[in-house]
């Protein structure tokens, strides 16, 4: 009993193409139809054989789907939803994989009134983009957060939950607003800070870019990974989740200012206390299977 | 022709114990004497057989050494140098592995006047601490920066350079002040920011610690790795390299404030421009062999 038999994936980048691969492995009898607005991406996905069919328009991809998953930057969700409205079967469940949820949910509801909408966010990814960067195991052991409206059809929610569990994900349900606050600290602010410090480092005059690169193993290189993430996706996230991001940024800035003061006044105890506390969080993340337990993320040292 | 025949390693944590292992592999005929102020660490190193001899006092470790390498937190360098002054052979070369250099160099010169001092900083490490966390290949392909004074003995500098090259490191020489500026951006500020955001995340009320951990794969977990680094080592670095760290922190804060403003005013173009620029730095780091080219640092996704 598959949760869905005919799945349309709209947007075939890292997440959409990983989804196509994961569905292909976990639900080999499900039919997958894909679409991407970029003809070159469509060609790549056809060549890789990730979908049973790749259509040139989003409407053509959804005509007989029982599940439609929007995998485009959050700023593109509203237009895409409007573009499929006329072709969407009445009984199809609509979901998405956007990194911010309240705004996306509102846009989907506005464009597709009366439809079964179950917004989702698989908290998984890499710094790579595009259909060739995807892989089937991306969601395995990661959390997928569902943010259905309070009046959402429980059967539709249960099917989307079963779908993600079948791909190896853990599933949690929460309100869209709370999701946006949680992800602002666990994902959006980390990306903003990483982008920012990489920008700072490349704009210095006293330290050359070549020096920044050569000595990046001191810690900086860690930040460059997430600062290599897709620019369009992340621009949209910050604009869509503005309030929560600004709130978390404000708190971070206050805490950083306190550290700055501790350094300026040689308050070694304050530094030591914080640096001791932060170790516990890392341990918990590893214990709960959310990161590699090997040192240095398991990077090769050969 | 080994650069040194009798090497004393003072401090046997991650770096000191990695050095003992690396010397053991690369220079099997060199005699390694080790010391650590912690009796438990000395016992572990004896049990692991990482040194030919482990002494209970630092002075006993250096009595017949031709090379002495101080591998302790930078705040402990001055006292350690003073403790070995009376036992140090006249012709021994003294080096260290401290992450900040101007202050350490001054401390070594003050405690050991007239000696051959060649400060060094291997830009390598992991988030783990202690003798069991070390490994022989830690320095391979990484940069080691030497910061000898202008009047340093060129022969001593050449021997320290040959020593690090024999361990597989690349070697660069620069002024101590410049080192401290470069590392402030490539290592010290990244650690400060990581410690800070992990602290911010664990202090929130609206988002639970359990949520922070569960959804950390969105980016936050990357920061927890370096925020799990040794608290004593890092407290000392920030106090020792105060001026350069505060200068870089000031620039970072300005840039972050500009991003904050771009988000507040919906300036998507400014965000997109920065997010596009930062990808290039990551590419260069990988091209120059300073990070794993596999996505997600090569983390396992199984």
């Amino acid at each position: 009993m598959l949760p869905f038999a005919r799945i349309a994936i709209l947007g075939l980048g890292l997440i959409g193409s990983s989804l196509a691969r994961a569905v292909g492995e976990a639900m080999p009898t499900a039919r997958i139809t894909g679409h991407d607005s970029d003809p070159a991406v469509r060609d790549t996905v056809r060549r890789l054989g990730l979908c049973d069919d790749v259509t040139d328009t989003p409407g053509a991809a959804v005509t007989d789907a029982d599940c439609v998953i929007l995998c485009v930057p959050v700023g593109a969700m509203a237009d895409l939803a409007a573009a499929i409205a006329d072709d969407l079967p009445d009984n199809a469940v609509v979901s998405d994989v956007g990194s911010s949820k309240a705004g996306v949910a509102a846009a989907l509801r506005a464009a597709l009134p009366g439809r079964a909408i179950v917004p989702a966010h698989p908290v998984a990814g890499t710094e790579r983009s595009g259909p060739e960067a995807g892989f089937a195991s991306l969601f395995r052991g990661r959390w997928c957060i569902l943010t259905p409206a309070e009046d959402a059809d429980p059967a539709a929610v249960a099917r989307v939950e079963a779908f993600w569990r079948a791909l190896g994900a853990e599933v949690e349900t929460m309100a869209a607003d709370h999701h946006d606050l949680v992800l602002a600290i666990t994902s959006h602010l980390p990306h903003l800070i990483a982008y920012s410090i990489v920008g700072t480092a490349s704009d210095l005059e006293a330290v050359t870019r070549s020096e920044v690169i050569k000595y990046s193993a001191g810690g900086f290189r860690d930040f460059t990974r997430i600062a290599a993430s897709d620019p369009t996706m992340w621009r949209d996230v910050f604009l869509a989740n503005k309030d929560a991001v600004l709130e978390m940024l404000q708190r971070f800035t206050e805490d950083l200012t306190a550290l700055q003061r501790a350094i300026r006044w040689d308050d070694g105890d304050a530094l030591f206390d914080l640096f001791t506390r932060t170790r516990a969080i890392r341990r918990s993340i590893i214990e709960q299977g959310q990161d590699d337990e090997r040192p240095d993320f398991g990077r090769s040292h050969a």
Side-chain angles (χ1 to χ4, degrees), chain A:
Chain A
M1 278 291 291
L2 294 180
F4 300 106
R6 295 175 310 280
I7 298 160
I9 300 174
L10 306 181
L12 296 164
L14 170 69
I15 301 296
S17 75
S18 292
L19 207 45
R21 289 174 173 94
V23 171
E25 281 193 8
M27 309 168 202
T29 60
R31 179 173 170 82
I32 308 170
T33 307
H35 166 76
D36 195 282
S37 62
D38 182 344
V41 169
R42 296 199 295 267
D43 287 347
T44 300
V45 171
R46 285 184 185 117
R47 177 169 53 75
L48 295 173
L50 302 181
C51 298
D52 296 295
D53 189 20
V54 177
T55 64
D56 288 343
T57 67
V62 307
T63 45
D64 69 346
D66 58 1
C67 175
V68 176
I69 306 176
L70 283 64
C71 305
V72 296
V74 292
M77 294 280 185
D79 285 351
L80 180 58
I84 60 169
D86 289 344
D87 295 299
L88 190 68
D90 283 340
N91 61 349
V93 174
V94 176
S95 188
D96 74 294
V97 297
S99 299
S100 69
K101 299 262 60 93
V104 170
L108 296 185
R109 277 197 302 271
L112 305 167
R115 300 314 187 99
I117 297 170
V118 184
H121 177 201
V123 185
T126 79
E127 70 277 24
R128 302 286 173 87
S129 309
E132 294 185 296
F135 51 97
S137 61
L138 179 62
F139 311 109
R140 216 173 283 159
R142 298 282 85 81
W143 286 89
C144 182
I145 302 173
L146 309 187
T147 62
E150 287 189 14
D151 60 355
D153 172 17
V157 176
R159 288 169 77 190
V160 173
E161 175 166 349
F163 173 81
W164 282 102
R165 289 200 190 277
L167 305 185
E170 308 273 352
V171 178
E172 186 68 84
T173 298
M174 64 178 73
D177 285 345
H178 188 63
H179 166 281
D180 289 355
L181 205 60
V182 172
L183 272 290
I185 186 70
T186 63
S187 178
H188 307 170
L189 184 60
H191 277 77
L192 191 72
I193 287 169
Y195 279 123
S196 192
I197 191 176
V198 176
T200 302
S202 50
D203 288 345
L204 296 171
E205 319 85 42
V207 178
T208 67
R209 185 179 285 231
S210 147
E211 287 173 319
V212 167
I213 290 161
K214 278 166 80 169
Y215 309 122
S216 61
F220 178 74
R221 63 178 176 169
D222 279 31
F223 293 69
T224 64
R225 187 186 77 78
I226 59 178
S229 301
D230 187 70
T232 304
M233 171 190 160
W234 283 98
R235 175 199 63 196
D236 285 5
V237 167
F238 294 119
L239 300 180
N241 199 22
K242 183 201 291 200
D243 293 343
V245 168
L246 291 178
E247 162 69 16
M248 292 301 170
L249 181 53
Q250 182 60 35
R251 284 167 181 264
F252 169 73
T253 304
E254 286 168 20
D255 292 346
L256 190 60
T257 302
L259 276 182
Q260 183 174 18
R261 194 168 182 283
I263 294 173
R264 197 179 295 284
W265 292 95
D266 295 316
D267 186 354
D269 291 345
L271 299 176
F272 186 83
D273 287 348
L274 173 66
F275 300 173
T276 305
R277 270 200 307 135
T278 50
R279 285 194 138 173
I281 295 251
R282 174 91 191 145
R283 265 196 304 276
S284 302
I285 286 174
I286 290 169
E287 280 163 14
Q288 296 190 22
Q290 292 304 310
D291 207 347
D292 213 308
E293 70 174 335
R294 293 173 297 166
D296 211 11
F297 301 125
R299 277 180 177 120
S300 68
H301 286 267

